[in-house]
Amino acid sequence: MSQPRLLGGRYELDQLIGRGGMAEVYRARDLRLDRMVAVKTLRHDMARDHTFQTRFRREAQSAASLNHPSIIAVYDTGEDMVDGLAIPFIIMEHVDGRTLKELLDDDRRLLPERCAEVTDGILRALEYSHQSGIVHRDIKPANVMLTRQAEVKVMDFGIARTMNDNQATMTQTSQVIGTAQYLSPEQARGERVDPRSDIYSTGCVLYELLTGGPPFVGDSPVSIAYQHVREEPVPPSQVDPEIPAWLEEVTLRAMTKDREQRYQTAEEMRQDIQRGLQGMPTEASTMAMAAGSTSALPPVEDRGRDDYGDDGYYYDDREEGRGKRTALWVLLGIAVAAALGFMLFLFMQPTAETMKVPDVQGMSQSEAEQTLEQRGFENVSVEEQNHDEIESGNAISTEPPAGQRHTATTDITLLISSGPGAQEIPDVVGQDRDSATQTLQDAGFEIGDTREETSSSYPAGQVIGTSPPGGQSADPGSRIDLVISSGPEQVAVPDLSEMNQEEAESALSDAGLSASFQEEPSEDVESGQVIRQDPEGGTEVDPGSSVTVWVATEPEEEESEETPTQTPTSPEGGGTGEPPEGWPSEIPWNPGGEE
């Protein structure tokens, strides 16, 4: 039985759960944290193309910079070597649910109000993305997931770009980027996109949710793109008369060709949907009514041939004509008065009280939640996020951020620190064991196993490597194994006995050692032969070590010297008598000192 494929030594692939134009998505298990994740890998046949490599890495960078409940989270990135080719991968949050495309393909129609709520979730994600300076550029049903808890998750930032990117619509080959059925007119024309382009695409998704089909269809992407630029969509109510008028007006305003006439922000469209769901008049309805009133002006009369009598004069039926004109002007006056009254009604509506979002940074989770509730915010959710400086369990910030004013029903996301994220392992090669241990511990890592290896490049006791190696990223607290140099591999000193100096020097050189010769006279060893050596033969030493060798020379001849016999004299230099007590008998006593 084949072993499961393992990415980065950490992610064990389970099964394929999705396949797209350039990537495949697998369900996998994070062995380190014991949780299910989604792994998105670049398809093997695309990996040699630099364009797809760049686009895939840009998706990871764009999505990783966005942290919002309505955007699928990115946990990690890396590369896997397959057949000598680097295949990049992205580790993402695993969502238990289905894409809107799968629901539509199964003909699972949603109620209009539910369609509006799903669109509200998409707009929340886009509002956060746009505030971060990123335009998605590919909003479509396949890129929106609906979880089993009815939460909306936006994914696939593969062609997302920052708003200051001048190439935000075109590829390097000057091809328009996006999916034809949901392409904004400016994208179709190859113009630069902005957040309002995502608004148009969201309107197309809402249209399809309401009607079951996209607003425009055609034989080719080019023909569909042409319709986005030139043609108006069939009003949703003509497809399904049960669609509320206010929701149709919101949809059509989002899909206005002129981006200046659309909703200008995702938040503006979302607030209009909320007004409609609560039974309040929407801005889209007001604009539609004003447009309808303007178009109600009476047409210019065409005095054609039939308006003249046989005598060539123009005959005006004054009574009938005057009555028609009067009726038209009355109707126009009523329409204008109604529009003004409606606008006055909206103006006089009481506005919801707004409150400033408090600064809760550094507070514990319970303190931060209590502070937000005391301020009056009713919908507070908590989300964890890595942070290098704020202690785990304490508040990082809120979304919307502190200082902004919002109503009590605004959704507030409280970001709580889960501690530092993955960080770079220090390079301790060349340090001694104690220094390397201190460096790694100061960086937040633990010391794992330690083993020794011979090394000709590093002296004994120095670090020659770590596992994982320095420069890679790992979670704080991870165990780092050390490899310590035991010095170079030692060599045995050859036995030089019975060799002459030339032979000894050659033997030491062959063993990678050097020689230091000294001479010593010897009667026992032939001149020129080795007497002794230090270290002795068989001793293990480092390569290049010096061996002292003593070589025999001829002994020097000793000179014999005769010691003259001195005849002692008496202490006084003369005198007679017996020799002193203890005088040797073999030496004649000569008290007079005479020869």
Side-chain angles (χ1 to χ4, degrees), residues 113-129:
E113 291 75 13
R114 184 66 185 121
C115 296
E117 292 171 355
V118 171
T119 305
D120 181 272
I122 298 173
L123 293 168
R124 288 178 187 273
L126 289 178
E127 177 67 13
Y128 180 81
S129 169

Side-chain angles (χ1 to χ4, degrees), residues 333-363:
I334 293 173
V336 172
L340 292 174
F342 180 72
M343 295 178 67
L344 181 62
F345 167 78
L346 291 179
F347 180 77
M348 295 298 292
Q349 287 292 312
T351 57
E353 181 183 358
T354 61
M355 300 159 291
K356 184 181 291 187
V357 178
D359 185 359
V360 297
Q361 186 180 61
M363 296 182 184

